[in-house]
């Protein structure tokens, strides 16, 4: 999968250094993955939440952080839409970001 944008992950890791390892692991796994639909994601990430609009919520570092992406399955692209703490996530509408 092609991930847009890695810089968002790097910026977040700069201010939340405890998330760097988990974000790097997620990036490398997803970069080498081939997702043709939500079932492919759930097969690897059982705790991921599949939302309408091809949105997916990943728990990062034991659910301390949340990562919301939008997946274009046909183009094999993942767009990072939100990355923040669990408390910040609770203040957004993950289906709209």
């Amino acid at each position: 999968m092609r991930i847009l944008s890695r810089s968002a992950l790097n910026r977040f890791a700069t201010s939340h250094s405890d998330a760097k390892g988990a974000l790097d692991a997620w990036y490398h796994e997803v970069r080498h993955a081939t997702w043709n639909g939500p079932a492919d994601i759930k097969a690897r990430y059982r705790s991921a939440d599949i939302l309408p609009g091809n949105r997916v919520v990943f728990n990062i570092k034991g659910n301390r952080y949340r990562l919301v992406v939008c997946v274009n399955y046909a183009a094999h692209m993942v767009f990072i839409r939100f990355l923040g703490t669990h408390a910040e996530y609770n203040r957004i509408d993950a289906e709209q970001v």
Side-chain angles (χ1 to χ4, degrees), residues 4 8 11 16-17 22 31 35 51 71 86 89-90 97:
L4 301 175
R11 278 193 308 273
H16 298 86
S17 59
R31 195 179 85 198
W35 295 338
L51 304 177
V71 181
H86 200 303
Y89 171 82
N90 288 337
V97 294

Side-chain angles (χ1 to χ4, degrees), residues 31-69:
R31 195 179 85 198
H32 292 100
T34 302
W35 295 338
N36 295 307
D40 294 333
I41 296 171
K42 288 298 276 187
R44 171 62 184 96
Y45 298 96
R46 297 208 185 274
S47 65
D49 294 322
I50 307 298
L51 304 177
N54 292 329
R55 298 284 203 277
V56 182
V57 180
F58 293 95
N59 299 323
I60 303 295
K61 193 166 177 4
N63 205 23
R64 181 175 176 139
Y65 303 108
R66 292 281 182 101
L67 172 63
V68 179
V69 302

